[in-house]
């Protein structure tokens, strides 16, 4: 949940920074000096959005699984391994008994 | 019981290949009632196949027919659909009808693995075991990597008490899936039944290695054996007893005898005691603990 919160915050921050840049550039264009540099706080906001977004994406990842065969085999059962579903017999005497 | 949990359980059954037909049927019916079919998209067809097989198994042929109709409409000429139709025929018609249906399909396409397997299964069910074995051996000559087929061959031989042939089939399974401790356990138990005790004890110890050897943080003395490891330790103890009774035993597979059988026996005894001493929920005693303790305490020879 924290991960999703961070991700949404980071997205909003990034969009806000992008919109601020657009506004700033249009202001510069209106004032007649289109070559001005970007104000520092927009840069800080984008970098902050990157860091918070990284944190959010890492926290939002699904739970990790083991990589060894042994750990996967611990979760299986004998019935699952021996089920031979291609040869399974679907006709039993259950209908006559029950 | 929510749609999401039903879908998750169905996916788990698909992955683990378990044949839990009642559970699948219950979950599948819930998914159909809550109209979850559209939610699955492409996965919906495997779900329908799973539900068809479970309904036939449970005896609800009406649901099976509905699902089968949906699948057959979407995939008209598919070999998988032919298999499902064949299984549906097997469920109600006499076996000759099913065999004729399979023979027709195999004439048109003689390498259809699914149909061939169904044919072998019908032959085994109707008691024509020799014919089933011959066909199965031919099938495995063509499709060597089919683990299910080798397991089925081992099972047929074991039910006819031909344990050496069963062990031979299981060695092919071990070649194809070397990382699987369950098949090694089955091979060990088959070797024990075929009276090849040195081979059996080696295989049981390999199973222990495969299932327990993963704990690098804990020392072996501190960890408790769980699951099939306990079964393997029982096997080690049984084999150690047999070998101690007859120290000049000859192994049919020329496997060498273990040098220190008494130590193996002691180790197996200790591991079994630990396994049955661990308290389960709320400190209750493991079932059968007294019997196991009495049995392992009996002298070796």
């Amino acid at each position: 949940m924290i991960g999703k919160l961070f991700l949404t915050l980071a997205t909003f921050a990034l969009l806000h920074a992008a919109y601020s840049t657009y506004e700033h550039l249009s202001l510069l264009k209106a004032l007649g000096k289109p070559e001005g540099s970007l104000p520092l706080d927009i840069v800080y906001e984008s970098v902050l959005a990157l860091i918070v977004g990284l944190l959010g994406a890492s926290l939002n990842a699904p739970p990790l699984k083991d990589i060894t065969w042994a750990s996967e085999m611990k979760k299986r059962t004998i019935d699952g391994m021996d089920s031979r579903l291609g040869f399974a017999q679907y006709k039993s005497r259950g209908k006559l008994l029950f | 019981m929510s749609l999401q949990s039903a879908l998750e359980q169905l996916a788990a059954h698909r992955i683990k290949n378990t044949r839990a037909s009642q559970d699948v049927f219950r979950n599948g019916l819930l998914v159909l009632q809550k109209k979850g079919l559209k939610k699955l998209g492409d996965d919906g067809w495997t779900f329908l196949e799973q539900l068809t097989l479970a309904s036939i198994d449970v005896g609800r042929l009406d649901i099976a027919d509905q699902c089968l109709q949906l699948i057959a409409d979407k995939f008209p000429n598919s070999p998988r659909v032919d298999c499902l139709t064949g299984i549906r025929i097997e469920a109600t018609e006499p076996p000759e009808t099913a065999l004729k249906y399979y023979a027709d399909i195999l004439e048109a396409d003689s390498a259809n693995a699914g149909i061939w397997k169904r044919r072998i299964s019908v032959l085994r069910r109707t008691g024509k075991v020799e014919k089933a074995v011959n066909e199965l051996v031919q099938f495995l000559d063509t499709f060597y990597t089919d683990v299910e087929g080798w397991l089925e061959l081992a099972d047929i031989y074991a039910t006819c008490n031909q344990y050496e042939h069963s062990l031979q089939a299981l060695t092919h399974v071990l070649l194809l899936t070397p990382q699987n401790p369950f098949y090694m356990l089955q091979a060990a138990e088959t070797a024990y039944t075929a009276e090849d005790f040195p081979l059996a004890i080696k295989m049981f110890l390999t199973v222990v290695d495969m299932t327990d050897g993963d704990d690098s943080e804990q020392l072996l003395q501190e960890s408790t054996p769980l699951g099939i490891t306990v079964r393997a330790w029982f096997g080690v103890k049984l084999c150690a007893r047999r070998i101690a009774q007859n120290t000049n035993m000859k192994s049919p597979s020329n496997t060498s005898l273990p040098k220190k059988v008494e130590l193996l026996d002691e180790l197996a005894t200790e591991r079994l005691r630990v396994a049955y001493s661990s308290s389960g929920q709320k400190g209750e005693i493991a079932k059968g603990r007294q019997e196991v303790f009495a049995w392992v305490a009996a002298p070796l020879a």
Side-chain angles (χ1 to χ4, degrees):
Chain A
M1 204 209 64
I2 295 191
K4 290 195 177 62
L5 185 66
F6 278 3
L7 272 179
T8 28
L9 277 178
T11 319
F12 280 141
L14 198 59
L15 288 174
H16 181 254
Y19 188 64
S20 310
T21 321
Y22 165 71
E23 275 201 341
H24 188 254
L25 283 180
S26 38
L27 176 68
L28 288 181
K29 221 188 275 191
L31 289 178
K33 20 180 195 161
E35 296 301 322
S37 71
L38 207 53
L40 266 184
D41 45 352
I42 298 185
V43 177
Y44 289 159
E45 188 174 8
S46 328
V47 172
L48 187 68
L50 174 68
I51 296 176
V52 173
L54 275 177
L55 271 177
S58 323
L59 291 172
N60 198 24
L64 298 174
K65 293 188 205 157
D66 283 325
I67 55 174
T68 57
W69 267 112
S71 55
E72 176 64 28
M73 290 298 159
K74 279 203 214 302
K75 300 189 196 122
R76 305 289 182 107
T77 61
I78 293 184
D79 276 337
M81 287 283 139
D82 205 29
S83 61
R84 291 172 268 133
L85 289 173
F87 292 95
Q89 295 177 358
Y90 288 94
K91 184 138 192 189
S92 69
R93 290 170 285 184
K95 231 189 331 185
L96 300 168
L97 291 171
F98 295 107
Chain B
M1 243 267 274
S2 71
L3 186 60
Q4 189 60 31
S5 70
L7 287 174
E8 279 171 15
Q9 283 180 16
L10 287 167
H13 281 308
R14 273 202 296 271
I15 295 177
K16 294 190 183 166
N17 266 341
T18 46
R19 194 180 165 174
S21 296
Q22 279 195 314
D23 201 33
V24 169
F25 182 71
R26 194 169 42 99
N27 286 332
L29 217 53
L30 192 78
V31 170
L32 277 186
Q33 279 164 359
K34 294 205 175 166
K35 311 229 183 302
L37 199 54
K38 293 177 206 66
K39 214 177 170 196
L40 286 169
D42 273 335
D43 252 353
W45 303 111
T46 34
F47 156 71
L48 278 176
E49 183 184 16
Q50 193 184 14
L51 184 56
T52 316
L53 290 172
S55 322
I56 297 180
D57 214 7
V58 171
R60 294 288 302 271
L61 296 171
D62 47 350
I63 311 273
D65 281 329
Q66 271 181 21
C67 301
L68 194 49
Q69 194 59 43
L70 284 172
I71 304 180
D73 287 336
K74 170 83 178 179
F75 303 103
N77 282 329
S78 152
R80 263 168 95 167
V81 174
D82 286 335
C83 278
L84 284 177
T85 328
I87 293 177
R88 175 69 184 81
I89 294 177
E90 274 179 51
T92 42
E93 314 278 335
E96 293 77 26
T97 321
L99 280 176
K100 183 167 174 320
Y101 176 74
Y102 292 140
D104 285 337
I105 301 186
L106 283 175
E107 247 187 67
D109 172 20
S110 67
N112 191 333
I115 297 285
W116 209 345
K117 285 197 212 181
R118 296 308 318 161
R119 185 177 142 84
I120 295 169
S121 156
V122 172
L123 286 171
R124 183 182 181 185
R125 171 164 60 90
T126 50
K128 306 195 179 86
V129 179
E130 253 200 49
K131 196 150 178 245
V133 167
N134 287 335
E135 289 250 357
L136 187 49
V137 167
Q138 253 188 323
F139 173 79
L140 289 168
D141 272 339
T142 324
F143 297 100
Y144 177 76
T145 50
D146 197 78
V147 175
E148 251 188 13
W150 286 111
L151 282 174
E152 181 74 7
L153 187 63
D155 189 58
I156 296 181
Y157 278 135
T159 50
C160 301
N161 296 339
Q162 294 184 358
Y163 299 110
E164 297 83 14
H165 291 141
S166 181
L167 189 58
Q168 279 177 15
L170 284 171
T171 52
H172 290 281
V173 174
L174 292 177
L175 266 180
L176 290 168
T177 55
Q179 75 282 12
N180 195 319
F182 295 94
Y183 299 147
M184 182 66 85
L185 184 68
Q186 190 177 354
E189 293 177 347
T190 313
Y192 178 82
T193 320
E195 311 217 328
D196 191 344
F197 303 111
L199 183 62
I201 204 172
K202 279 215 164 79
M203 284 182 163
F204 280 122
L205 291 169
T206 316
V207 174
V208 171
D209 197 17
M210 276 198 230
T211 51
D212 228 3
D214 203 34
D215 303 318
S216 46
E217 308 94 35
Q218 290 173 309
L219 294 173
L220 193 58
Q221 288 100 300
E222 294 166 356
S223 66
T224 317
L226 297 166
I228 65 171
T229 322
V230 181
R231 200 160 152 159
W233 282 120
F234 271 118
V236 170
K237 179 110 183 126
L238 283 171
C239 289
R241 283 240 174 106
R242 289 293 193 116
I243 294 178
Q245 280 167 0
N246 175 9
T247 37
N248 294 338
M249 103 180 358
K250 281 250 164 289
S251 154
S253 60
N254 289 331
T255 322
S256 54
L257 286 164
K259 294 191 193 67
K260 300 200 168 52
V261 183
E262 305 79 21
L263 294 179
L264 277 176
D265 181 69
E266 256 188 64
L267 180 61
T269 311
E270 188 264 329
R271 293 274 89 209
L272 285 171
R273 285 211 178 105
V274 168
Y276 276 85
S277 303
S278 57
S279 47
Q281 297 138 322
K282 302 186 206 108
E284 63 188 33
I285 300 181
K287 272 204 187 107
R289 195 214 285 205
Q290 279 181 326
E291 285 78 12
V292 172
F293 274 41
W295 181 70
V296 300
L300 190 53

